[in-house]
Structure formats: C-alpha cells, structure tokens
DNA sequence: CAGTATCCTTTACGATACTG
DNA sequence: CAGTATCGTAAAGGATACTG
C-alpha cells in the first residue's frame, strides 16, 4: 500500500510525498508554476498572470520554488533591472503532471459546486 | 493561455482551478483521499494510515471532502458505532489524476532534496 | 469507536510603505 | 522593476479532555 505517514516504514526517513508535495500544494505554488508553462516570465508578468498575489508573497513563493529546483532566477542588471523566471527540467516535468489535475478541476467544477450545495441543503 | 486568476476572464466567475484545488491541495486532503484508494476504511483506519493527524483535524477534513462530493460517510450504529468512508465516482477520478503527482514526488524526492541542499549552500 | 469542545500556537497571507 | 521591511489578520492545525 501507499505510504503517506510522516515517517516511512524504514524509520527515520521522511515521507517523500509529503516532503515534496507540501511545497507544491499551497495556495500559490502550482499557479506560479503554471504561469511559466509557455516560457520564461519576468517578475511583474508572473504577478499579472496570477492576479491577486502580493509582491511579498510572490517573492517568498518564487524563492521556495527556486530552492526546490523547479525554476531558475536570472537577473539582468539594468538599469532598469530585469529578473526573469524560467522552469527547469524538473519544473517542466512537474507542470506536466500538474496539468491533468488542472483539467480535472475545470471539468468537474460544476459537479463540485453542486455537491457542496446539496450537502449544505441537507445540513 | 491558462487562466489562474481569482476571477476568470468573464468577470464575476470564480476560477475553477483555485476553487476546486484549494480543497484538495491542503496538508491532509490528498493523503486522506489516497488512503481510501483500495476501498472503504473506517475512521480509525484512515487515521492509522495517515499517521500523525489528530482526530479533530481528520474529522474536519473528512467533512470537507464529503461536502465536495469526493467521499461518502456511512454510519453503522452499533454498538459500538462504526463509520466508514468510501470514495465516490468523482473521488476515484480525482485519485487517479492525483497518483501521477504522488509517483512523481517519490521519484524526484532525492533530486529535490539535493536542490535544496545546493541552494542553501550558496546562500 | 467516532467523534465534540476548548484553548493555544503556528504559518500563511494581506496591506502598506520604502529602496537600489 | 523587483524587491525588502513591518505590522497585523485569519485560517489551519496541535494538544488535551470529555462523551453518546
């Protein structure tokens, strides 16, 4: 069976699922990765694509994604300075497995909304 | 291009990606869904599978997943009472698109850990 | 067994102002 | 332009005790 507990069966080893996914399944991470799907973008372009993320939080999330090796950060000192973010190989792979979930979400949105409505009506 | 902003292009409509995924990409939701992959489990069995989740939080998450229509909750009044949770059709579909990410996480765990180490060494 | 009820802490996030 | 610095809020989660 699948191992999803904090520690794997071999004690002392962290669960890869949790350890990797916790940095991808946040409110913004997957959205940011998806925004880079078609090629590198500059900081402000990522911000525009995601829409309602603050500068502080975007920076924070970009750094975390860079740290995990999903994207690179390239600085072109200007002036004005231009910083662009680009998916790495692993980052592109990750986006590929992320996309089916995104499609699923779009396709099943109505169903989920209906389920919520029916649940709330019963309670 | 993919639409990931809070409001979709047709104003006033919520983004399906965010709206659906925010209830799946939490710390526990995907783990709980995965625990039910092989068939229905009772409350305590889910808890055992996930490992270190508290009763309160597990209950909370199970309710949210039930509300979104991913699983059903069946009570067999005992005594002692036995409650079992089972994936619905949509729940099973969701688990299927979730599994590739889980596999990806397992396969790329070492790489991510290495990336973090190298990033931390530079900074 | 499968929860509720409380209380408390942590973490993520939002708002705003400032800067090389 | 792409951040950093502060401050404040809110949601998620942890610990523990209690119950039909």
């Amino acid at each position: 069976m699948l191992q999803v507990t904090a520690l794997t069966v071999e004690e002392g080893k962290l669960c890869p699922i949790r350890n990797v996914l916790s940095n991808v399944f946040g409110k913004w991470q997957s959205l940011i990765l998806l925004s880079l799907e078609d090629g590198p973008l500059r900081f402000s372009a990522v911000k525009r694509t995601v829409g309602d993320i603050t500068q502080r939080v975007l920076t924070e999330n970009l750094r975390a994604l860079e740290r995990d090796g999903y994207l690179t950060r390239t600085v072109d000192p200007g002036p004005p300075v231009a910083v662009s973010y680009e998916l790495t190989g692993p980052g592109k792979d990750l986006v590929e497995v992320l996309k089916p979930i995104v499609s699923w979400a779009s396709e099943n949105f109505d169903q989920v909304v209906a389920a919520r409505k029916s649940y709330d009506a019963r309670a």
Side-chain angles (χ1 to χ4, degrees), chain A:
Chain A
M1 206 254 262
L2 199 65
Q3 188 63 36
V4 296
T5 50
L7 296 177
T8 51
V9 210
E10 310 105 88
E11 282 303 321
K13 299 192 65 175
L14 290 172
C15 170
I17 304 176
R18 295 193 189 200
N19 206 270
V20 172
L21 295 191
S22 62
N23 289 328
V24 172
F25 277 17
K27 182 174 182 180
W28 303 111
Q29 292 97 318
S30 57
L31 266 29
I32 294 171
L33 290 173
L34 289 165
S35 78
L36 296 173
E37 190 190 344
D38 300 327
L41 289 182
R42 293 175 54 179
F43 184 87
S44 50
V46 176
K47 187 170 187 311
R48 230 182 345 267
T49 305
V50 176
D52 57 345
I53 188 172
T54 62
Q55 264 183 335
R56 195 188 65 75
V57 173
L58 178 55
T59 301
E60 208 172 77
N61 277 270
L62 284 168
R63 292 286 192 281
L65 292 170
E66 185 193 2
R67 178 172 185 259
D68 277 11
Y70 301 132
L71 52 82
T72 57
R73 174 174 180 274
T74 309
V75 182
D76 173 7
V81 39
V83 180
S84 77
Y85 294 89
E86 181 169 19
L87 291 178
T88 60
K92 287 175 187 167
D93 290 348
L94 178 54
V95 167
E96 287 311 306
V97 297
L98 236 33
K99 275 161 66 177
I101 305 200
V102 170
S103 305
W104 189 90
S106 299
E107 290 160 18
N108 292 268
F109 178 57
D110 294 343
Q111 191 168 135
V112 170
V113 170
R116 283 179 196 163
K117 198 171 169 182
S118 130
Y119 182 94
D120 292 347
R122 289 187 14 193

